[in-house]
């Protein structure tokens, strides 16, 4: 009976969500439940919370899983089999795949949440509307941070170091702000929401959130807001053109709060055209996501497909 289901868990710093999908029809959600991560209580508690959630959903369905895919806030280092780059810092350096396998008694597969976003939008979301046969899809996250996921022939590309798709830590601004990754001027520190808000503060002396900055720019009443949006658009064009030049994806999907800004899909595309190699007449379709906050948990469920 369990083989007719696929299980996914989105393991975030605030909440842990489990979704069980029908293997015969992946758009059919059989069960879905979430609990608080309670990350402040430490790594072992997070593992126990996952086990509690899986037990609860298994009891609902009357069947336990044999395999579960996980969307994680960092990546599993293929060489050491320990986690790295997690903003839930208690996970870093820990053998999470092994610990989850032991706690749950099932086979697990882990992928970065941005990879799961890209995978879900490829198979169940926006890509199906634009180009269902797309061989290369890049999923962009532009929000509090900047991340990405790469899907080729329907499968996530993790890479040698487990950092496939991590375009947010390419250097975009030489000599820019120091990043936690050890470099300076990363894409994340130029076009993420907090980075843009910080730029506005440095220019104006006032603190505004991105929706307010955008509104002031559109109203034409604030030259500092317009300078901030100009910074976003120009650097978005430069950074995304590099992705296109290297990968030439058939579809790019943009998630995250900054990704909701409509100007990215009009003026932002014009900026990309300034920098891409070869033809500028036919540009990669760049679209908004379709699945919302379901993408992470759905993508996790697809890791075993």
């Amino acid at each position: 009976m369990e083989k007719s289901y696929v299980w996914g868990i989105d393991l975030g710093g605030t909440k842990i969500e489990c979704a069980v999908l029908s293997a015969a029809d992946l758009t059919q959600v059989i069960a879905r439940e979430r609990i608080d991560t309670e990350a402040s209580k430490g790594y072992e508690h997070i593992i126990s919370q996952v086990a509690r959630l899986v037990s609860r959903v298994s009891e609902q369905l009357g069947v336990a899983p044999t395999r579960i895919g996980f969307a994680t806030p960092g990546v599993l280092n293929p060489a050491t089999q320990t986690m790295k780059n997690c903003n839930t810092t208690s996970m870093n350096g820990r053998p999470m795949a092994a610990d989850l396998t032991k706690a749950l008694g099932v086979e697990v597969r882990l992928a970065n949440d941005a990879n799961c976003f890209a995978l879900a939008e490829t198979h169940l979301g926006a890509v199906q509307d634009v180009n269902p046969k797309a061989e290369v899809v890049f999923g962009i996250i532009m929000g509090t941070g900047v991340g990405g996921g790469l899907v080729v022939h329907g499968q996530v590309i993790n890479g040698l170091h487990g950092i496939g798709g991590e375009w947010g830590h390419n250097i975009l601004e030489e000599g820019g702000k120091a990043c936690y990754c050890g470099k300076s001027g990363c894409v994340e520190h130029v076009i993420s929401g907090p980075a843009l808000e910080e730029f506005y503060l440095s220019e104006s002396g006032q603190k505004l959130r991105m929706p307010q900055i955008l509104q002031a720019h559109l109203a034409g009443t604030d030259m500092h807001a317009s300078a901030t949006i100009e910074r976003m658009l120009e650097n978005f064009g430069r950074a995304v053109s590099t992705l296109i030049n290297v990968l030439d994806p058939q579809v790019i999907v943009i998630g995250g709060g900054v990704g909701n800004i409509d100007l990215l899909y009009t003026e932002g595309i014009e900026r990309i055209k300034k920098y891409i190699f070869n033809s500028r007449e036919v540009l990669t379709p760049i679209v908004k996501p379709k699945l919302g906050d379901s993408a992470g948990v759905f993508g996790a469920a697809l890791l075993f497909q």
Side-chain angles (χ1 to χ4, degrees):
M1 183 176 178
E2 192 278 326
K3 289 183 179 178
S4 64
Y5 299 151
V6 290
W7 292 61
I9 289 180
D10 187 0
L11 178 50
T14 302
K15 53 87 180 171
I16 305 169
E17 182 173 12
C18 177
V20 182
L21 312 181
S22 167
D25 178 5
L26 294 170
T27 64
Q28 183 181 357
V29 180
I30 306 299
R32 190 170 182 179
E33 188 162 344
R34 64 173 63 180
I35 61 173
D36 292 338
T37 308
E38 299 178 353
S40 63
K41 296 183 179 180
Y43 174 77
E44 286 78 12
H45 184 74
I46 294 171
I47 299 296
S48 70
Q49 285 291 85
V50 173
R52 185 160 76 90
L53 179 59
V54 171
S55 176
R56 183 186 297 181
V57 176
S58 297
E59 191 172 322
Q60 284 180 22
L61 295 177
V63 62
T66 57
R67 305 187 300 182
I68 304 177
F70 283 83
T72 60
V75 297
L76 186 70
N77 187 325
T80 64
Q81 288 298 298
T82 56
M83 298 299 291
K84 64 179 182 178
N85 302 338
C86 298
N87 52 20
T88 303
T89 56
S90 65
M91 297 180 187
N92 288 323
R94 306 302 290 264
M96 181 166 276
D99 289 342
L100 287 170
T101 298
K102 181 178 179 181
L104 301 175
V106 303
E107 182 183 2
V108 304
R109 188 169 292 171
L110 277 58
N112 178 263
D113 47 14
N115 284 334
C116 290
F117 163 78
L119 190 64
E121 289 293 343
T122 296
H123 290 286
L124 302 174
V127 177
Q128 290 298 306
D129 295 336
V130 178
N131 184 353
K133 296 182 179 180
E135 295 179 346
V136 180
V137 174
F138 198 89
I140 285 174
I141 303 294
M142 286 177 63
T144 303
V146 174
L150 176 60
V151 175
V152 177
H153 296 299
Q155 300 293 318
V156 166
I157 302 298
N158 290 306
L160 176 65
H161 303 97
I163 57 171
E166 286 292 353
W167 74 301
H169 293 279
N170 292 334
I171 294 174
L172 183 58
E173 187 174 60
E174 196 69 39
K177 184 179 178 181
C179 180
Y180 72 86
C181 74
K183 300 190 294 293
S184 297
C186 292
V187 171
E188 181 165 292
H189 280 294
V190 179
I191 60 173
S192 69
L196 292 165
E197 290 170 0
E198 187 174 321
F199 176 81
Y200 178 83
L201 175 62
S202 71
E203 293 290 303
S204 68
Q206 294 182 295
K207 190 171 184 178
L208 293 182
R209 300 301 303 274
M210 274 306 296
Q212 296 170 302
I213 294 169
L214 177 63
Q215 185 177 18
H217 164 70
L218 294 175
T221 58
D222 186 337
M223 65 178 183
H224 303 301
S226 294
T228 303
I229 298 301
E230 170 63 24
R231 177 176 173 81
M232 177 193 72
L233 293 170
E234 185 67 11
N235 284 289
F236 171 80
R238 290 175 58 206
V240 174
S241 70
T242 303
L243 293 175
I244 295 174
N245 286 345
V246 173
L247 300 171
D248 201 12
Q250 277 91 7
V251 184
I252 293 174
V253 187
I254 307 179
V258 178
N260 289 323
I261 296 176
D262 289 337
L263 284 172
L264 291 175
Y265 304 90
T266 54
E267 182 59 28
I269 288 175
E270 293 304 310
R271 304 304 176 93
I272 294 169
K273 289 180 181 179
K274 290 171 53 178
Y275 296 108
I276 62 167
F277 179 65
N278 208 3
S279 172
R280 289 159 178 79
E281 287 73 36
V282 179
L283 189 67
T284 308
I286 299 175
V287 299
K288 292 183 179 181
K290 188 175 180 180
L291 299 175
D293 64 1
S294 299
V297 71
F298 286 4
L302 293 171
L303 289 173
F304 278 108
Q305 290 300 101

